[in-house]
Amino acid sequence: MKTTDQLLINFDRALRVISGQARASRRNPGNTCEDASLSETEQKHSAGLMRVNHVGEICAQALYDSQAVFSKSEDVKRQFARSSIEEEDHLAWTAERLQQLNSHPSVLNPIWYVGAYACGLIAGRCGDAISLGFVVETEKQVEAHLASHLKELPAQDEKSRAIVEQMRLDEIAHGAAAGELGAVDLPAPVKVLMQAMAKVMTTTAYRI
């Protein structure tokens, strides 16, 4: 497929992702849990954390789509596609949980998507080894971030906790798959920059 054709397809996907048309291929793990009584403060906190996670999945869709544009390996492209499907599950699950918490996605989702897509294009243009290294580091940071959410979420909010735990397990698997395909370790300054960018996103998305 030509690069221009892939970009057009990705633009169509971007519109669907940002407009909230994500569809899950797996059952929402939170739907197997009982509803819990949350105080107003707890509900707002859970909603803020799930909004952050929803933004993370918006970014994941952008990253996997953009990194695949310049990939030279069919194996890498297939892995990106598989991971993207599971990330779309996460996107749909977190959107559903936000509705259940009477909250909303970040109003800045278009900005998050565009920023992540640009980062993915840069990573993909650097070659598959570096692009895969970017995936490994991203998933490592996301897994740590989700683990912290499991500590922060109200203990009785089993629905949110079930979603976050399944997301965490999937992110670990995505990073491992990228590593097996030949990822290289990114330079320390790049990792620090990625952490800084993630901090800005998570702090902002928690509120708006």
Side-chain angles (χ1 to χ4, degrees):
M1 182 181 298
K2 294 181 180 179
T3 300
T4 52
D5 292 336
Q6 186 63 60
L7 290 172
L8 287 173
I9 291 172
N10 286 356
F11 180 72
D12 178 68
R13 280 177 50 79
L15 293 177
R16 291 190 288 109
V17 168
I18 294 172
S19 63
Q21 298 182 41
R23 294 291 181 269
S25 61
R26 293 175 290 172
R27 182 180 182 185
N28 188 329
N31 291 345
T32 64
C33 303
E34 296 292 332
D35 283 314
S37 177
L38 301 174
S39 68
E40 182 178 351
T41 299
E42 290 172 333
Q43 183 172 323
K44 286 183 177 180
H45 185 51
S46 287
L49 295 177
M50 296 309 286
R51 181 160 43 253
V52 169
N53 293 330
H54 183 266
V55 167
E57 299 309 323
I58 290 282
C59 293
Q61 291 296 303
L63 287 170
Y64 278 119
D65 283 351
S66 57
Q67 286 179 262
V69 170
F70 293 117
S71 177
K72 303 299 183 184
S73 167
E74 290 303 318
D75 287 339
V76 170
K77 289 182 179 181
R78 281 192 290 269
Q79 180 54 44
F80 284 170
R82 284 193 292 268
S83 295
S84 181
I85 291 172
E86 293 189 343
E87 301 288 3
E88 186 170 1
D89 289 345
H90 302 171
L91 185 61
W93 297 344
T94 51
E96 182 178 357
R97 186 58 183 148
L98 280 171
Q99 290 181 336
Q100 294 169 348
L101 291 166
N102 297 317
S103 193
H104 56 83
S106 172
V107 298
L108 300 178
N109 276 346
I111 295 175
W112 305 131
Y113 188 96
V114 170
Y117 197 91
C119 289
L121 285 178
I122 293 171
R125 200 72 179 86
C126 291
D128 284 330
I130 292 177
S131 186
L132 290 166
F134 185 81
V135 171
V136 170
E137 181 59 28
T138 298
E139 300 294 21
K140 184 183 299 182
Q141 293 186 17
V142 170
E143 190 275 328
H145 160 81
L146 293 172
S148 72
H149 276 198
L150 288 172
K151 296 179 181 179
E152 290 187 49
L153 283 165
Q156 69 273 32
D157 187 1
E158 295 183 2
K159 284 182 173 289
S160 296
R161 297 175 69 83
I163 293 170
V164 171
E165 175 59 15
Q166 185 57 57
M167 289 169 61
R168 190 184 72 84
L169 295 175
D170 289 343
E171 306 301 356
I172 292 173
H174 297 166
E180 291 174 359
L181 286 171
V184 298
D185 193 34
L186 298 183
V190 175
K191 296 179 181 180
V192 172
L193 178 60
M194 291 171 65
Q195 291 173 340
M197 292 171 64
K199 182 65 175 178
V200 171
M201 182 272 284
T202 55
T203 301
T204 306
Y206 180 86
R207 294 175 174 82
I208 54 175

